Amino acid sequence: MARPLSEDKRDAILASAAELVAAMGTSAPTAKIARDARVAEGTLFTYFPDKDALLAALFLDIEGELARAILGEVPAGATPRDRIRHMWDRFLDWGADNPARRKALKQLKVSDRIGAECRRCGEEMFAEFRTVLEAALEGKEGEGLSPDYVGAVLSALAEITFEFIGREPARRDHYRTLGFETFWKMLAT
């Protein structure tokens, strides 16, 4: 009878993979991931049948963590602006506090090793965000402001904001507010 799989080992493998994908991209060797997780490489393949499965699991693990972080405690009765601001603040806090996981996620999002079904599952985790964004865009569709375009602008602005928070951590709140106000002014025009 096979031994039951350990959640601690699985979590250690995913944590090691996040650090190494952040540092080396998706070409990070499974042998190094296993070594840094303090498991045998064969053990890694007990938990994940191949590297693509490991990368997909890592992608969904980080996306799930991020979704829980930004969508937790969103004020239901608030305006779309206040709800988006809440999610923006939570996203920037998560990203600033988890730079390796944020960088690993960026690497995974551009990797062709993450399949369409995995990406769809990741997108579903953010359905509430998309709904709030669509509410904020009501009446602006004719202006070329699709939720996908606005989401991409928001992501790019977040990256700029992360860069400045990294340069001046003491001004984190300032840059967080400045980034959001810049985004909101774009929507208002």
Side-chain angles (χ1 to χ4, degrees):
M1 182 169 163
R3 292 188 344 198
L5 298 178
S6 161
E7 280 298 310
D8 290 341
K9 283 184 183 177
R10 183 180 188 282
D11 292 346
I13 293 166
L14 289 173
S16 173
E19 291 290 328
L20 290 168
V21 167
M24 303 172 74
T26 57
S27 63
T30 55
K32 185 158 180 53
I33 292 169
R35 186 172 47 254
D36 287 5
R38 299 180 191 265
V39 300
E41 189 172 9
T43 300
L44 182 148
F45 291 113
T46 300
Y47 288 83
F48 306 99
D50 56 36
K51 187 171 181 183
D52 287 347
L54 169 61
L55 294 174
L58 178 61
F59 175 78
L60 292 174
D61 183 63
I62 297 173
E63 285 276 81
E65 178 184 318
L66 177 57
R68 288 186 299 278
I70 71 169
L71 298 173
E73 303 172 16
V74 175
T79 65
R81 181 191 194 283
D82 290 342
R83 294 178 79 198
I84 292 171
R85 173 63 195 259
H86 175 85
M87 290 183 254
W88 167 264
D89 287 349
R90 301 282 299 255
F91 175 56
L92 287 173
D93 288 344
W94 177 87
D97 293 341
N98 299 283
R101 290 180 70 76
R102 182 174 58 83
K103 187 173 180 184
L105 184 58
K106 282 176 50 177
Q107 295 276 348
L108 293 165
K109 282 189 175 197
V110 298
S111 173
D112 59 358
R113 298 187 81 160
I114 303 300
E117 179 64 19
C118 187
R119 289 180 193 283
R120 188 190 59 72
C121 289
E123 287 173 11
E124 285 178 4
M125 294 179 198
F126 295 91
E128 181 182 345
F129 174 75
R130 186 175 180 92
T131 299
V132 173
L133 194 56
E134 287 170 350
L137 292 173
E138 250 176 52
K140 295 183 181 284
E141 294 84 8
E143 299 172 28
L145 294 177
S146 72
D148 291 334
Y149 176 78
V150 172
V153 169
L154 189 61
S155 292
L157 190 54
E159 286 304 315
I160 293 165
T161 305
F162 283 129
E163 182 180 328
F164 278 83
I165 289 172
R167 290 181 193 176
E168 299 178 71
R171 298 189 69 196
R172 180 175 177 163
D173 290 340
H174 167 75
Y175 288 121
R176 188 170 63 180
T177 298
L178 184 61
F180 180 78
E181 293 302 328
T182 300
F183 168 72
W184 197 256
K185 285 175 186 170
M186 180 210 66
L187 284 185
T189 59

